[in-house]
Amino acid sequence: MAAASVEWMTLSDWLRGRPDAALVALLRRRPDLAVPAPGDLGVLANRATVRLSVVRALEQLDAFALSVLDALVLLGPSAVSIKEVDRLVGADVTAAVDRLRELAVIWGADDALHAVGPVPQILIYPAGLGRPATALGLKQPPLADFDDLDAAERDVLDRLAAGPPVGAAQVRPDTPVADLIARGLLARLDPGTVELPREVGLALRGDRPLGGVSTVAPPLSAVQVDLATVDGTGTGQVLESLRLVSALLDACADSPPAVLRSGGIGVRDLRRLARRLDIDEAVLALLLEVAGHAGLLDGTADAHHEWLPTPAFDTWVALPTEQRWLRLATAWLDMPRQPGLAGSRDDRDHVLAPLSDDLARSAAAPARRRILAALADQPKGCAPAPESLVAWLAWQAPRQGGRQRDDVARWALSEAEMLGITGRGALTSYGAALLREADGDAAHLLAGRLPAPLSEVLLQADLTAIAPGPLEPRLAHDLAQVADVESSGGATVYRITAQSVRRALDGGRSAGDLHELFRARSRTPVPQALTYLIDDVARRHGGLRTGSMQSYLRCNDEALLDELMNHRGIADLRLRRIAPTVVVSGVRTRELLDLLRAAGYAPMQESADGSVVITADEQRRAPKRRFGVRRPAVPTQPTDDQLAAAVTALRAGDRAVREARRSPVNLSTLPGVTTAATLELLQRAARDRHQVWLSYVDSAGNATARVVRPLSVGGGFLRAEDDRTATLHTFALHRITAAARVETQ
């Protein structure tokens, strides 16, 4: 067929001539075209040319298919043959053209290919070339003048010809850019921007009009790692990430960060938390985001607006290790947020804070899944080099991810390693199960690789306790209360200090409780120095007691109160003695406790009736969660049978529309004029189960037309089935203004 013979063909006509299998493939690759169900192929064609739908379709194309589409745009706008595209690309484009036609991004026979309407506007700079000279308001550029250019002018043109064709330049007299504009070889868009016309770019590129066309994906540079090593490394990182999340939420409970007015956590609080956990702020941002989306951390709604653990944190801490990891990993995989953006600045030069709405990105979760799927496609234990994988992903889908496409891939790989989903750059066995959404398998696989929790630690003479592996939840909780983590890794080292012992006493433990804890839970003898430390701190603990007036101090030792009243380091407390054994302060009880402890004292808080307040039982929690923990609803993918039924309905609707055009009916006919001939046609159609086209006027006077299959006629009503929606309808006979038999093809 010659190109001229099909110039009249439209996209609707081309779709009408496609086999059903091709239409099924189109609806599968572009599901937005099928919702809601199109009435006929004309409606389908219109949807296929909607700009947003075309943009989504282009995101599915690899770099070579996009180069073929660039060539088609450069050769357009009239029909183009596949041989012309072959010559321009310099490679066989048959397979790429078939993929483009499968997506209905282009249509037509091999000798008359067309790009759908929005493509030239979306690919405004095809192959990195500028717009035609006429579109820039220029005459045909004098291409023969290239020989007269000096080195500086030729350098400007060569850089713009390599792409992108738009550049920033201050146009001043007697500069290369000004001379090129004067010659008509550059177009000035505004005082600081110029564009290279397409004709000039093509002339400069010579025999490579599309620049470098990559026909295949770049090879992956990878190393082979033993799968046991991958899982072992990942398991170690799982334990570390769980420890850090627990420590982070405990830190937020002890000293809650403030919720910024714009949402999120401020820089000062971030630095404080990062110092306490001994991690960098990028890792901290990831942990905050994951904990928030997992429902373990939330902002309060009271006047203070603080970030606090939620009640779900207390439940999460008691879960088995594999279940705790599964909740965090699932939250990370599905959260529509991008932690990697934390700390960067937006277009208004505002810092993007963790947990703020500024980090919300709807494309974040699909991007993570796509990147992990690329790892899952590699042989087991194959660990691609990160930069190699980033380049490979960029070739597979150049238009996905926008300007931060490569950064998103790097962030996802780093975050997956941090959470133990990958190990040594390869996907772990339980990480692969997580990607398949086989949560039970993921938890089971991880549980089989976790070391058995320890019930004992090794106490050292230097007041440290060594845990050579993960601890039982109860022991881990007790040890965290009485000691601070000094280092972590294959073994965790806890440091016991006077401050950590005081913290345990504040939490309601007695000296006897601490002695028994270390005696029962230490595999080595308890050092005498630790016994002395506990007894010494316990002897001084509670000698001072605070309460609220704002606050007060009472002490039976009047000499100690004399010392406090004369202590210059605590002058900010504004102490005033109101009795030999009572002093009041102008600051709140919490601040009074903190400042006295910082000065070396060991006060204890008491209630209004004089009983000791156990601070550990006063767990501060956010009242409700801000982020959900459920996986987002994923649209169910239609089966092949469902798609085939949708195509059948499309064909039926299309036949009905064309039948109506061949046999037009006056829809303005008033109701109540159903003729005997119409009744006879409907009865015959009900007997033969044949489709008819109805013109119907509803009770509001609105005229409609539809194709139905009559089932029965009687009692003043027609009962019929709509094949497209598989629903039954009842029509009043006196409101049917016309009916026509639908002839099948």
Side-chain angles (χ1 to χ4, degrees):
M1 184 184 296
S5 65
V6 293
E7 282 293 331
W8 55 268
M9 182 180 287
T10 64
L11 177 58
S12 300
D13 297 326
W14 179 76
L15 288 173
R16 193 169 290 118
R18 300 282 281 171
D20 286 356
L23 294 180
V24 167
L26 173 61
L27 296 180
R28 184 184 300 111
R29 295 286 300 275
R30 296 177 65 178
D32 58 305
L33 301 184
V35 181
D40 56 72
L41 290 172
V43 174
L44 181 65
N46 288 336
R47 290 186 187 175
T49 58
V50 173
R51 180 185 176 90
L52 180 58
S53 179
V54 175
V55 168
R56 290 173 178 167
L58 296 187
E59 290 179 350
Q60 303 180 41
L61 299 177
D62 59 38
F64 181 61
L66 285 173
S67 295
V68 172
L69 193 58
D70 283 339
L72 200 64
V73 171
L74 291 172
L75 293 169
S78 57
V80 178
S81 73
I82 196 171
K83 293 182 179 178
E84 294 177 277
V85 181
D86 270 337
R87 285 194 295 270
L88 188 61
V89 174
D92 181 13
V93 301
T94 304
V97 166
D98 289 342
R99 288 199 300 273
L100 293 169
R101 277 192 293 216
E102 182 181 351
L103 285 169
V105 172
I106 66 173
W107 58 276
D110 284 351
D111 56 354
L113 297 172
H114 301 261
V116 296
V119 168
Q121 287 75 42
I122 297 170
L123 303 179
I124 189 172
Y125 299 125
L129 292 166
R131 291 170 289 176
T134 53
L136 296 171
L138 300 177
K139 298 179 180 179
Q140 186 67 24
L143 304 181
D145 287 356
F146 287 165
D147 294 337
D148 299 334
L149 298 176
D150 59 30
E153 292 170 340
R154 184 59 186 255
D155 180 63
V156 171
L157 293 183
D158 286 342
R159 280 187 292 166
L160 292 175
V166 178
Q170 293 298 325
V171 182
R172 292 188 292 269
D174 300 326
T175 61
V177 172
D179 292 341
L180 292 171
I181 292 174
R183 293 188 183 201
L185 296 175
L186 274 184
R188 185 175 182 177
L189 303 182
D190 57 51
T193 312
V194 294
E195 182 174 338
L196 185 72
R198 182 173 299 175
E199 296 84 353
V200 178
L202 287 170
L204 290 169
R205 290 185 180 184
D207 58 353
R208 300 183 66 191
L210 298 183
V213 176
S214 178
T215 58
V216 295
L220 279 174
S221 173
V223 296
Q224 193 67 30
V225 185
D226 180 64
L227 188 57
T229 303
V230 172
D231 283 351
T233 304
T235 301
Q237 199 56 49
V238 165
L239 297 173
E240 176 65 5
S241 63
L242 293 178
R243 183 190 71 80
L244 287 174
V245 170
S246 296
L248 170 63
L249 295 176
D250 285 336
C252 290
D254 292 341
S255 182
V259 178
L260 298 177
R261 185 168 54 183
S262 57
I265 295 181
V267 174
R268 184 176 300 175
D269 285 324
L270 282 175
R271 290 174 179 170
R272 175 178 57 80
L273 289 171
R275 284 195 302 269
R276 175 162 174 172
L277 272 64
D278 194 24
I279 57 177
D280 61 44
E281 293 183 20
V283 174
L284 176 60
L286 170 65
L287 299 179
L288 287 168
E289 289 289 340
V290 171
H293 195 70
L296 308 179
L297 180 69
D298 196 5
T300 61
D302 56 19
H304 296 297
H305 290 296
E306 297 171 326
W307 291 102
L308 284 171
T310 67
F313 171 58
D314 302 307
T315 305
W316 177 80
V317 169
L319 292 174
T321 302
E322 64 273 13
Q323 293 297 332
R324 285 187 288 147
W325 172 83
L326 183 62
R327 183 159 182 175
L328 295 184
T330 301
W332 173 79
L333 190 61
D334 295 319
M335 68 180 183
R337 301 178 61 76
Q338 193 57 265
L341 290 172
S344 62
R345 294 181 178 271
D346 61 13
D347 297 337
R348 297 170 295 175
D349 201 36
H350 292 166
V351 176
L352 304 183
L355 297 175
S356 70
D357 293 338
D358 295 329
L359 267 57
R361 296 292 185 275
S362 60
R368 289 189 200 99
R369 288 186 173 275
R370 182 172 66 89
I371 293 161
L372 292 186
L375 288 177
D377 289 339
Q378 305 303 314
K380 289 185 178 180
C382 181
E387 291 306 316
S388 172
L389 183 61
V390 168
W392 187 85
L393 290 167
W395 189 92
Q396 293 290 341
R399 294 187 63 88
Q400 285 189 11
R403 294 177 298 174
Q404 294 174 325
R405 177 196 62 204
D406 294 348
D407 288 336
V408 167
R410 294 186 187 95
W411 292 334
L413 293 172
S414 175
E415 291 164 5
E417 193 84 15
M418 175 65 200
L419 295 173
I421 298 172
T422 60
R424 296 286 188 91
L427 196 63
T428 59
S429 59
Y430 49 88
L434 175 74
L435 187 61
R436 298 193 305 267
E437 297 192 2
D439 293 354
D441 291 345
H444 177 72
L445 288 169
L446 177 59
R449 287 158 177 77
L450 290 170
L454 302 176
S455 61
E456 295 178 321
V457 295
L458 306 174
L459 285 175
Q460 305 293 306
D462 61 350
L463 299 184
T464 59
I466 299 176
L471 299 175
E472 292 179 348
R474 184 62 194 176
L475 176 57
H477 177 269
D478 291 343
L479 205 56
Q481 192 178 37
V482 74
D484 299 315
V485 175
E486 188 170 82
S487 65
S488 60
T492 304
V493 178
Y494 294 87
R495 171 70 62 182
I496 305 168
T497 64
Q499 289 76 17
S500 65
V501 171
R502 179 195 52 76
R503 184 173 67 229
L505 296 175
D506 288 342
R509 298 295 186 101
S510 66
D513 294 335
L514 297 182
H515 288 313
E516 178 60 23
L517 170 66
F518 290 122
R519 186 197 63 77
R521 293 291 196 166
S522 176
R523 190 177 301 176
T524 57
V526 179
Q528 191 176 46
L530 178 57
T531 302
Y532 289 163
L533 175 66
I534 294 172
D535 290 340
D536 182 58
V537 174
R539 184 170 55 254
R540 294 185 293 111
H541 187 262
L544 294 174
R545 301 199 174 195
T546 70
S548 296
M549 275 187 62
Q550 292 268 355
S551 59
Y552 68 87
L553 283 168
R554 72 176 182 84
C555 180
N556 294 329
D557 186 353
E558 297 182 20
L560 181 56
L561 289 183
D562 291 336
E563 178 184 337
L564 285 175
M565 295 300 295
N566 293 287
H567 197 301
R568 295 182 180 180
I570 58 174
D572 291 339
L573 294 179
R574 303 193 300 277
L575 298 178
R576 183 167 64 90
R577 199 164 189 168
I578 60 173
T581 59
V582 180
V583 172
V584 296
S585 172
V587 301
R588 291 184 303 170
T589 303
R590 185 72 187 182
E591 185 178 356
L592 179 61
L593 283 168
D594 292 341
L595 291 175
L596 286 175
R597 286 166 180 168
Y601 297 96
M604 178 183 292
Q605 186 176 355
E606 66 179 15
S607 63
D609 61 1
S611 61
V612 176
V613 174
I614 305 301
T615 56
D617 291 341
E618 190 185 345
Q619 294 179 328
R620 306 184 67 190
R621 295 292 182 258
K624 57 184 178 181
R625 290 182 286 107
R626 184 182 181 190
F627 302 117
V629 295
R630 293 184 179 180
R631 281 182 166 164
V634 178
T636 303
Q637 295 298 322
T639 64
D640 287 345
D641 290 341
Q642 291 172 325
L643 291 175
V647 171
T648 300
L650 268 174
R651 298 285 192 195
D654 199 58
R655 288 195 299 270
V657 170
R658 285 184 290 144
E659 181 68 24
R661 290 172 180 168
R662 287 195 295 266
S663 304
V665 177
N666 183 8
L667 295 181
S668 63
T669 306
L670 295 176
V673 292
T674 305
T675 63
T678 300
L679 287 175
E680 181 182 357
L681 184 149
L682 295 175
Q683 290 169 345
R684 186 167 59 250
R687 184 175 61 252
D688 299 340
R689 301 298 302 274
H690 202 284
Q691 286 185 324
V692 297
W693 180 87
L694 290 182
S695 173
Y696 186 78
V697 179
D698 61 21
S699 58
N702 299 317
T704 59
R706 67 173 67 198
V707 175
V708 296
R709 190 181 301 276
L711 300 177
S712 65
V713 181
F717 294 95
L718 165 68
R719 293 171 180 82
E721 181 181 23
D722 188 332
D723 286 349
R724 291 181 300 169
T725 59
T727 55
L728 295 176
H729 298 275
T730 300
F731 303 93
L733 288 176
H734 71 277
R735 293 190 177 279
I736 298 175
T737 59
R741 184 184 176 95
V742 175
E743 299 298 335
T744 58
Q745 294 181 337

